[in-house]
Amino acid sequence: MRDSYAIAIAEAASALPERAPPQVEERLAWTLIDNVGSMLYAGSLRRPVAAARYFAASAPGEEADVLTADLSSSQTGAAAAMAYLLHAAEIDDSDPRGELRASAVIMPACLAAAQAADTTGAAFLRAAGLGYTLQGRLVQSVGPIQGRGWMASGVWGPPAAAAAVALLRKRPPAEIAAAVSLAGSAAGGVFQYYFDQSDEKRIIVARAARAAIESVDLAGLGERGAERFLEGRAGLYRLFAGTNAPACETFTDDLGRLEGPLYLRPKFFAASHSIIPTLDGLQSAAPPDLDPASVESFIVRGNAAWSRIVARKINDFEPPSSRIGAALNFSFVVAMWLARRSVLPGDYTQETFQDPEIISLARSGSFEVNDSDHLSIEIVLRNGERILAVAQDPDRQAPAPLNAEQRVNKFNALAGSRLNERRKADLRAHCMSLKNARSMQDWVRHAQKLCSD
């Protein structure tokens, strides 16, 4: 196994410094605040709560608490439950290098495993930094794979999270390599949900987080996966990206930087990552007093690659029937923003789904192919005027800005129905103090108290 990528990654992970760089620890604390806010909001919804209970009960135990919920379970059950909650409201963060939901698999698996091993906060942050970094490096050379029919988090999340969990447990390189390769065999998640407006994507990430921990367990029992699960002729890169794997050094060189968390971008709209840059562009270009009744239609334009993803959904609009279906529906989200100037989880209601003004606006949309890599949207007004907005796509290869004020405002909005202002401030401060925690079990127990209704 010496000449495989898996063992090279495992050896590099085993040689990491005892702590993540200070700027990485700080960014991970902010990421945790964002994640906790998303989970708090999901905990106010009936279906996510029922699913979290199911995952917790399906692997009973008391190794780990389900953060923000009054549940405990085994590591695997807690990881799956938290992953579902984190992703349930379509407001969790992204890594634009692969347009994947960055935290949905990594954070829940690390939170569950760190409690079970009762690590320090610093050890948790180092392991989470490794998970985010490997996940980001896995996607960096190939970019999004949704056009090939796969959910990126379900593909790259399991092996990256398995490496993080194995590091938390202080496993030797051979076991880390085995865990990573076994988790690679659990990679998957069909992207058809985007077109069918179904909501199994949160089940995909729940299974992925569970698979990461199971893979470490199985490696400890002596199980071994395919040695070349990444670079082999039937490995992840050939199967899911249709290309050869990049050089092994892509994953191992200067791994101690643990730079992955610095690329994470919170969502400030509850919508598919592919829609948000267009909303950012609209917010900058459209006058604040634009009357939705004055809009006759809108035209979205993009190149052939964008056409394969969004054209049919815009040209053949179908009203959504679920929260997730609505958040993935390009025309509906644009129409809701035009009508209400808000796209947050609380905006997705049965009343909104049936709002005749929003549905009429959504039906007025169309898609046209051009040669631009960036989507644009043109709002056609009834008086003949037109408003042009270009999607504000982030630089995929650049670290993300902190946006601390926006993060705090988002957290406060998401936690608003669950916590008073004092509890919100205390919980944010508790997350920022994580690097000093001596016991992850104690840290989570106190966090649970702060999350109590």
Side-chain angles (χ1 to χ4, degrees):
M1 204 167 176
R2 283 286 168 184
D3 58 346
S4 75
Y5 282 27
I7 193 63
I9 291 170
E11 289 176 342
S14 296
L16 288 174
E18 286 299 310
R19 295 192 68 139
Q23 69 271 28
V24 173
E25 290 188 335
E26 180 186 18
R27 187 60 63 91
L28 280 168
W30 281 104
T31 298
L32 184 57
I33 290 172
D34 191 69
N35 290 178
V36 170
S38 299
M39 294 165 68
L40 277 167
Y41 181 83
S44 67
L45 306 176
R46 181 183 58 82
R47 281 187 62 191
V49 170
R53 286 177 178 155
Y54 166 79
F55 282 117
S58 66
E62 296 188 357
E63 289 183 301
D65 288 337
V66 177
L67 190 56
T68 76
D70 186 20
L71 298 168
S72 60
S73 183
S74 66
Q75 294 175 68
T76 52
M82 287 188 281
Y84 191 102
L85 288 173
L86 178 53
H87 198 44
E90 197 63 27
I91 194 70
D92 47 314
D93 56 38
S94 300
D95 187 330
R97 292 176 292 179
E99 289 185 10
L100 59 72
R101 310 311 289 276
S103 288
V105 179
I106 305 298
M107 185 64 79
C110 289
L111 278 171
Q115 290 181 71
D118 199 20
T119 69
T120 64
F124 162 77
L125 293 170
R126 180 179 72 142
L130 173 65
Y132 284 113
T133 298
L134 286 178
Q135 184 178 241
R137 292 187 182 195
L138 285 166
V139 305
Q140 192 164 16
S141 66
V142 295
I145 57 173
Q146 289 88 329
R148 292 181 59 84
W150 303 106
M151 182 187 186
S153 301
V155 172
W156 311 116
V165 171
L167 183 69
L168 270 172
R169 293 189 188 175
K170 301 180 180 179
R171 306 317 303 158
E175 277 193 31
I176 296 177
V180 169
S181 61
L182 288 168
S185 69
V190 177
F191 190 60
Q192 185 61 30
Y193 62 78
Y194 179 84
F195 302 102
D196 289 356
Q197 299 188 38
S198 54
D199 54 15
E200 72 269 24
K201 64 199 301 267
R202 46 198 183 182
I203 298 175
I204 292 171
V205 298
R207 288 171 171 165
R210 182 171 63 189
I213 292 181
E214 288 177 343
S215 297
V216 181
D217 289 341
L218 291 166
L221 296 174
E223 296 291 338
R224 296 294 181 265
E227 295 180 359
R228 296 172 181 80
F229 81 101
L230 279 176
E231 72 273 23
R233 61 182 180 177
L236 265 58
Y237 277 97
R238 294 301 308 170
L239 175 61
F240 293 109
T243 187
N244 293 324
C248 186
E249 291 75 19
T250 302
F251 311 110
T252 58
D253 277 4
D254 205 10
L255 189 59
R257 290 190 299 120
L258 296 179
E259 76 287 341
L262 304 180
Y263 287 83
L264 306 186
R265 291 178 181 266
K267 279 188 168 187
F268 300 115
F269 295 104
S272 169
H273 179 80
S274 61
I275 306 173
I276 288 175
T278 297
L279 296 179
D280 287 332
L282 271 175
Q283 192 159 261
S284 296
D289 58 349
L290 178 65
D291 182 358
S294 69
V295 177
E296 180 175 291
S297 63
F298 64 87
I299 305 164
V300 179
R301 297 184 177 92
N303 62 23
W306 278 110
S307 175
R308 287 193 292 271
I309 296 174
V310 301
R312 186 184 69 78
K313 292 192 72 172
I314 294 174
N315 292 330
D316 301 323
F317 170 74
E318 296 178 4
S321 57
S322 68
R323 287 173 174 270
I324 293 295
L328 302 178
N329 190 314
F330 202 109
S331 294
F332 182 84
V333 170
V334 168
M336 185 164 70
W337 185 89
L338 288 170
R340 303 191 176 189
R341 290 300 176 97
S342 177
V343 180
L344 290 173
D347 295 314
Y348 292 101
T349 65
Q350 287 301 318
E351 178 187 0
T352 308
F353 300 159
Q354 299 167 10
D355 187 316
E357 181 179 46
I358 294 176
I359 298 301
S360 177
L361 281 169
R363 290 193 189 282
S364 75
S366 61
F367 185 91
E368 295 180 358
V369 178
N370 63 15
D371 59 358
S372 174
D373 292 336
H374 298 276
L375 286 179
S376 63
I377 185 168
E378 188 172 32
I379 308 299
V380 182
L381 304 183
R382 298 187 188 281
N383 64 6
E385 295 181 9
R386 293 173 180 247
I387 300 168
L388 179 64
V390 177
Q392 295 183 359
D393 296 303
D395 182 347
R396 291 179 178 173
Q397 304 307 320
L402 178 58
N403 290 330
E405 183 177 354
Q406 285 181 279
R407 288 175 185 261
V408 171
N409 291 340
K410 174 187 172 181
F411 175 84
N412 288 342
L414 291 175
S417 64
R418 298 276 300 271
L419 307 180
N420 60 32
E421 294 304 314
R422 176 64 181 272
R423 285 285 179 91
K424 293 175 191 175
D426 287 348
L427 186 52
R428 293 197 310 270
H430 188 54
C431 290
M432 295 305 296
S433 72
L434 179 56
K435 65 183 180 181
N436 299 319
R438 295 182 179 181
S439 162
M440 281 300 293
Q441 289 180 359
D442 290 345
W443 186 92
V444 170
R445 288 192 190 105
H446 186 63
Q448 291 288 64
K449 291 179 181 179
L450 293 173
C451 289
S452 298
D453 296 355

